[in-house]
Every structure is written in C-alpha cells, then in structure tokens.
C-alpha cells in the first residue's frame, strides 16, 4: 500500500491520459490534454485546502460562504510544467506563479537548476508543484528542497505519470509531500525515461522532438 500517493481513479482522467500517451497525438492536442488533465488533477489535489467563513449577500438575503485561507503558489518546473499552469490558474486566478527551471543532465540524470524566481514574500497556504513526469524523482525532490529553503511549509506535487522509482525517491526525501498523479507506470528505462510513459513531455508540448 502506498501512503501519501494518490493516483486518480477518475474515468475522465484515464480517458484523456490515454489520448495524451498516443504517439499520434500532435502538439496542439497534446497541450490541450495537458491543460484539461491538470484541471482535473488539481481539483482532486486541492480537496483538503483550508477555508475560512465568509458571509455573502445574495439577491434574496444572507448566506454562509467560505473563502480560501491564505495564498496559493503554483510552481511549474520548466519546461514541461509550463503547460500545466494555465488550466490550474483558471480555477484559482488569485494564485501566484513561481517558476523553477530545471534540466536533467542526460548522462547523470541529475537536475541542473538554471532559473528560480524566488517570490519576495513566500508566504502561502500551500505550493502546488506542477510537472508532468516523475521519473527518477530528482527534479521533484530538488524543487521541494528549494521551496522548503524559501520557508514554504506545505507542498503538494501534481503530475501526470510517475515511475515507481520516482515515487520512492520523492517519498524518501520528502515524506510530507503528497503525490497526485494520473497514473503509475511500470519502470524507467536505461536512459531514465518512463515506460510506457508518453515520451518527452517538454518536446511533445513545444514541438521540439
Ligand atoms: C523532465 C520533466 C521533469 C524531469 C523528470 O524535464 O519535465 O522535470 O524531466 O525527471 P526526473 O524525475 O528524473 O528528475 P527535463 O529535464 O527533460 O526538461 P524539459 O522539461 O525542459 O524538457
Ligand atoms: N522526462 C520526460 O519528459 N519523460 C520521461 O519519460 C522522463 C522524463
């Protein structure tokens, strides 16, 4: 039993992920599917966010309402995480977006940081890391480490496909970070790609394959 790992059970997610995986899916459709899947996964991942009471006046009288407590930080990991921002942001337009640039060294598979836009006030209720692929887990672990160094106390990872190796690494390094994904695949291959996966998520979004 995996604890703190939440593969979506939603039929819409399974349907869209199947289309996304296909080698015949072109970049435009690929980007649309990433956007839609991100919205669905975000909906599931944010079910336990904190709210506080907020009264609201309707045309008919008073109603008891709620508002989200504190800010939310969306943390897309460049490049591939960029495509996940739009859909999530649509559902929480008040969120801040904190970009982190990481690129895996193709030989060592270690993430190399080339960009980090540290917010002036990194005080939010929660940070949502957005990155479609959890392969070795090195990039996700490095992102959690950076956010914790900035003082972030609550982090969730939202991705599309995870390898068992990536889940194990992220859980070992950051057991407090829940992992929300569309699917857990079989394994990593010898060059660190997820099998069966979907190929290179960045190249397929940006047409650079
Ligand atoms: C991909 C992906 C993750 C990372 C996952 O990015 O978007 O960030 O690999 O691999 P890991 O779990 O082994 O660290 P990549 O480094 O290929 O950069 P890109 O998005 O710019 O193509
Ligand atoms: N990054 C990708 O884009 N795909 C993989 O399968 C692994 C890392």
């Amino acid at each position: 039993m995996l604890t703190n790992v939440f593969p979506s059970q939603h039929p819409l997610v399974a349907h869209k992920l199947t289309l996304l995986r296909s080698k015949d899916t072109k970049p435009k459709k690929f980007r649309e599917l990433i956007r839609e899947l991100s919205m669905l996964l975000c909906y599931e991942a944010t079910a336990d966010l904190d709210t506080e009471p907020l009264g609201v006046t309707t045309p008919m009288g008073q109603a008891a309402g709620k508002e989200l407590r504190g800010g939310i930080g969306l943390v897309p990991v460049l490049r591939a995480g960029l495509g996940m921002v739009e859909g999530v942001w649509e559902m929480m337009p008040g969120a801040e977006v904190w970009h982190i640039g990481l690129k895996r060294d193709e030989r060592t598979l270690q993430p190399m940081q080339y960009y980090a836009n540290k917010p002036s006030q990194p005080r939010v209720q929660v940070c949502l890391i957005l990155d479609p692929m959890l392969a070795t887990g090195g990039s996700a672990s490095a992102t959690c480490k950076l956010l914790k160094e900035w003082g972030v106390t609550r982090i969730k990872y939202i991705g599309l496909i995870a390898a068992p190796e990536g889940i194990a690494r992220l859980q070992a390094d950051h057991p407090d970070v829940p992992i929300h994904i569309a699917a857990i695949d079989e394994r990593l291959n010898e060059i660190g790609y997820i099998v069966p996966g979907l190929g290179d998520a960045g190249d397929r979004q940006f047409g650079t394959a």
Side-chain angles (χ1 to χ4, degrees):
M1 258 310 261
L2 290 166
T3 53
N4 231 9
V5 181
F6 305 96
S8 178
Q9 304 299 318
H10 202 295
L12 272 179
V13 170
H15 178 91
K16 289 177 189 295
L17 181 66
T18 304
L19 295 173
L20 187 79
R21 285 183 190 272
S22 169
K23 65 179 175 47
D24 297 325
T25 299
K26 300 281 184 294
K28 181 171 186 291
K29 184 68 183 170
F30 193 89
R31 292 193 296 272
E32 286 169 9
L33 288 164
I34 291 229
R35 179 178 168 279
E36 293 163 1
L37 280 161
S38 304
M39 290 173 101
L40 293 167
L41 291 168
C42 167
Y43 178 78
E44 294 185 350
T46 53
D48 63 351
L49 290 195
D50 296 336
T51 58
E52 47 198 19
L54 178 70
V56 57
T57 306
T58 81
M60 309 299 288
Q62 295 296 308
K66 290 178 180 179
E67 67 176 347
L68 286 172
R69 189 185 59 72
I72 295 175
L74 305 183
V75 186
V77 180
L78 309 181
R79 285 178 305 168
L82 270 182
M84 297 180 70
V85 175
E86 192 186 305
V88 175
W89 215 5
E90 230 167 84
M91 292 207 287
M92 40 184 80
E96 298 179 19
V97 181
W98 306 351
H99 297 87
I100 310 261
L102 296 177
K103 179 76 189 156
R104 282 198 315 179
D105 180 300
E106 286 182 7
R107 194 177 52 82
T108 64
L109 299 183
Q110 296 305 308
M112 317 292 287
Q113 184 183 314
Y114 59 87
Y115 186 77
N117 189 14
K118 183 172 190 267
S120 52
Q121 302 253 319
R123 277 183 230 116
V124 288
Q125 171 190 165
V126 65
C127 272
L128 305 178
I129 297 177
L130 307 175
D131 190 343
M133 308 305 276
L134 184 61
T136 66
S139 303
S141 179
T143 306
C144 290
K145 181 167 178 286
L146 189 64
L147 293 176
K148 288 179 180 177
E149 285 166 5
W150 289 353
V152 176
T153 54
R154 190 177 183 198
I155 301 172
K156 290 168 180 265
Y157 174 91
I158 305 179
L160 298 182
I161 302 180
E165 294 90 332
I167 290 175
R169 166 80 189 270
L170 186 53
Q171 285 200 313
D173 292 354
H174 301 281
D176 54 310
V177 174
I179 302 173
H180 294 267
I181 42 190
I184 303 174
D185 274 10
E186 287 165 24
R187 63 186 170 87
L188 290 181
N189 70 10
E190 58 288 350
I191 55 167
Y193 274 74
I194 300 175
V195 179
L198 50 70
D200 190 302
D203 283 347
R204 293 196 62 186
Q205 280 179 74
F206 298 108
T208 49

